[in-house]
Amino acid sequence: MTDAQETAADTSLRTTGGAPPDDGVTGVTEDGAPIALLEPREGVPPVVADEGALADVIAAFAAGSGPVAVDAERASGYRYGQRAYLVQLRRAGAGTALIDPVACPDLTALGDALDGTEWVLHAATQDLPCLREIGMRPTELFDTELAGRLAGFPRVGLGAMVEGVLGYVLEKGHSAVDWSTRPLPEPWLRYAALDVELLVDLRDALEEELERQGKLDWARQEFAAIATAPPAPPRKDPWRRTSGMHKVRRRRQMAVVRELWEARDRIAQRRDVSPGKVLGDTAIVEAALALPLTVRALGALPGFGSRTGRRQLEQWQAAVERARALPETQLPQPGQTVAGPPPPRAWADKDPAAAARLSAARAGVSEVAERLGMPQENLIAPDTVRRVCWEPPVVVSVESVGDALRALGAREWQVEQVTPVLTESLAAHP
């Protein structure tokens, strides 16, 4: 049993939270069973949907104390893009707020009011992009999911963490609903409020656990890196990520995928619906493989179906025809140019010494991760290990390897833990 598992099993370490509040009891029954958390402490607050109510929330949260729990709900699978359709916050002295970012699309003033306050999020990298779009950018944060990973918890979903550490069971039945629905049903709002109900409690318990394991400074370095990371650049050739793309071998067929993907994306953006609701990836790949010559032939392919209207079929066939008409020079290349080393499976043929370095490095990193009780990918990014092994420093030393890791974005705690085993691996296979 790991340190984190022992912590989760020790009910004496569980903190107070949920209803009934502040009465000195833990979130477990006398026999140690977790308690279902069914209602926020102050009930479900009204949704903030106008400037006046937003101003009141901003004032309340600016006057609150301690960290602020933050969450956002998106409509993935229903709407185009990853915008926020509900923002939830909770802070001591301010209570819980549910804000409609459709009615209040600019939350810059709220973000400014929380400047300098630690934000507590679960899986922060998922929510930060949509929060930035509406003007909310933390300067300091605590990610409870990442904290759980560093501490070695075997399950780091919010529900599992709240149950294992705090002793409460959260309902997760509304996680995949269409949050663009208006008005939002009361059960959904209750679920959303409960998502931030115990985040600060969970943060406090995890901070204590990380301190006990000697990893709190490591976590702080990771949180700072997330808070200061620039937005991810747009993906190059996103159409290449079409599900089933591995079946498409010929360049003309790839051009069909590209034309259909781009046509679908334009329609989805205009209609504000998920691209998958306009045309499935399966249909795109089937059309690319078949290269149909007529609308009728296209309509007979899997994924188009009887519900696809004549006008829709014509627009998809037009995309196929555009791809068929392209000159050879404008067809996409089979492989996407990727900066960095080739896939590891090709190393043995291209550079046997590099393959040996990588094998030794992976084994060394695995041993360190196991000793520290955390996933390897949180100890050091696998891509960082590959890049250092493919192009090691000219002179291999602890200093040069450490500098190479820093240049690739590794944090100081990672450099400290990983440099010795990487130096040994590189030196053994020059």
Side-chain angles (χ1 to χ4, degrees), residues 344-418:
R345 62 180 178 272
W347 287 29
D349 293 330
K350 292 179 177 292
D351 189 338
R357 288 193 294 269
L358 181 61
S359 178
R362 282 174 164 173
V365 168
S366 177
E367 290 179 5
V368 175
E370 186 174 355
R371 172 170 54 81
L372 296 176
M374 67 174 66
Q376 295 181 43
E377 61 269 20
N378 293 116
L379 172 60
I380 190 72
D383 182 65
T384 297
V385 175
R386 288 193 293 268
R387 288 174 183 268
V388 171
C389 289
W390 184 253
E391 293 188 44
V394 176
V395 177
V396 174
S397 66
V398 171
E399 292 75 16
S400 65
V401 173
D403 289 342
L405 291 173
R406 292 184 188 93
L408 291 169
R411 270 67 73 187
E412 284 302 317
W413 76 271
Q414 295 176 314
V415 172
E416 178 183 337
Q417 297 297 322
V418 171

Side-chain angles (χ1 to χ4, degrees), residues 22 48 58 142 144 172 218 312 328 349-350 387 406:
D22 306 324
V48 174
I58 292 172
F142 189 107
T144 50
K172 299 303 290 182
W218 302 358
Q312 291 175 300
E328 288 286 331
D349 293 330
K350 292 179 177 292
R387 288 174 183 268
R406 292 184 188 93

